[in-house]
Amino acid sequence: MSEPVSQQRLADVFVDLAASRTDEPSDPTGLLTALAAHGTEVLGGCAATVVYVPDDHASPRVTGTDPALVRLARDAFDRDEGPGPQARRTGRPVPDTDLTREPARRDWPRFAGRALELGYGRAAGLPLRVGAHTLGALILLGPGSAPLRPDLLDLGQSLTDVAGCVLDRERRLAESRALADQLGRALTSRIVIEQAKGTLAAGLSISVGEAFELLRSHARSHRRRLTDVARDVVERHLQLTPNRRP
């Protein structure tokens, strides 16, 4: 039996997960690797593997400390069997399951058989929730036949929930940055168009409305973006006149 993990070490693990960042929300490999490593470390001798499937059309991303278990988890998702796919599909934890008994051998034939060959007799799956969606799972395998303790499963779910919160935070930050970029580009375009309208109105002694129609007409007839036409006018690369025909 593994040694108990100190409260300080558990606190450090939670802080490490909560402080994690991802290079891109679509590629959270570093965070998932940390979750698998910490799970293997603190969950009482269980082997932890993490599977992340951002959408139904994406290939599963599997991380873990044991290459054989990574292959097992990937194969299980390809076959849609085992506690990982079930937890991801239902959004609910898959409880401690004896892999030697009939239900597991019937419902997860490939997964159960291969896990037993690797020396693991128990399995559980904990959903990885990101906001309102379940996008993966933490898969726990216990050596031998001893049941997985409920307190360790609760701890595993807490670790997984922290990782899910980090992923949701990074997703929201990415969306906020994208929105800010869109608003910034829209504001810049608006400023350039207003400058061009003023330039044309002053230079041609026409109204601001007529200046805008002149810009828009030229953009349409030349199949150009209005902002690009306005910028050329402001930078004196393009001269327009009310009577000009493209």
Side-chain angles (χ1 to χ4, degrees), residues 159-203:
L159 293 173
T160 308
D161 289 343
V162 170
C165 288
V166 172
L167 288 170
D168 190 47
R169 178 193 70 195
E170 294 298 312
R171 178 183 62 81
R172 292 177 182 273
L173 284 174
E175 290 175 350
S176 296
R177 287 192 290 266
L179 178 59
D181 288 343
Q182 291 175 1
L183 293 175
R185 289 193 295 270
L187 179 59
T188 299
S189 297
R190 185 64 181 175
I191 291 173
V192 170
I193 292 170
E194 291 300 319
Q195 289 175 332
K197 286 163 59 178
T199 298
L200 290 174

Side-chain angles (χ1 to χ4, degrees), residues 112-129:
R114 184 60 184 144
L116 288 168
E117 290 175 1
L118 294 172
Y120 298 96
R122 316 290 296 203
L126 306 174
L128 175 61
R129 306 182 185 97

Side-chain angles (χ1 to χ4, degrees), residues 8-224:
Q8 182 59 54
R9 181 54 190 151
L10 286 177
D12 291 342
V13 167
F14 277 101
V15 170
D16 183 56
L17 286 175
S20 296
R21 295 186 62 86
T22 60
D23 294 333
E24 294 289 341
S26 59
D27 185 20
T29 304
L31 172 63
L32 302 181
T33 300
L35 174 59
H38 287 319
T40 299
E41 174 193 358
V42 304
L43 295 179
C46 292
T49 308
V50 180
V51 180
Y52 180 68
V53 189
D55 60 66
D56 293 333
H57 305 290
S59 298
R61 300 183 184 184
V62 186
T63 59
T65 59
D66 186 334
L69 297 183
V70 169
R71 290 192 295 271
L72 173 62
R74 183 175 290 112
D75 180 68
F77 263 81
D78 289 342
R79 296 172 179 271
D80 193 28
E81 66 171 57
Q86 184 174 329
R88 194 256 176 180
R89 184 173 57 253
T90 65
R92 296 190 297 272
V94 177
D96 170 41
T97 302
D98 186 343
L99 297 177
T100 66
R101 293 187 177 274
E102 175 60 22
R105 287 187 169 275
R106 180 191 65 235
D107 298 335
W108 309 335
R110 172 72 178 180
F111 177 87
R114 184 60 184 144
L116 288 168
E117 290 175 1
L118 294 172
Y120 298 96
R122 316 290 296 203
L126 306 174
L128 175 61
R129 306 182 185 97
V130 181
H133 305 285
T134 302
L135 301 184
L138 176 67
I139 303 164
L140 300 180
L141 291 170
S145 59
L148 303 180
R149 289 171 19 213
D151 62 315
L152 291 180
L153 295 181
D154 290 341
L155 175 58
Q157 186 63 70
S158 296
L159 293 173
T160 308
D161 289 343
V162 170
C165 288
V166 172
L167 288 170
D168 190 47
R169 178 193 70 195
E170 294 298 312
R171 178 183 62 81
R172 292 177 182 273
L173 284 174
E175 290 175 350
S176 296
R177 287 192 290 266
L179 178 59
D181 288 343
Q182 291 175 1
L183 293 175
R185 289 193 295 270
L187 179 59
T188 299
S189 297
R190 185 64 181 175
I191 291 173
V192 170
I193 292 170
E194 291 300 319
Q195 289 175 332
K197 286 163 59 178
T199 298
L200 290 174
L204 301 175
S205 299
I206 58 178
S207 70
V208 172
E210 289 173 325
F212 179 71
E213 288 300 324
L214 187 59
L215 286 170
R216 185 166 61 177
S217 175
H218 183 89
R220 286 177 175 174
S221 63
H222 289 77
R223 296 184 179 180
R224 298 185 63 198

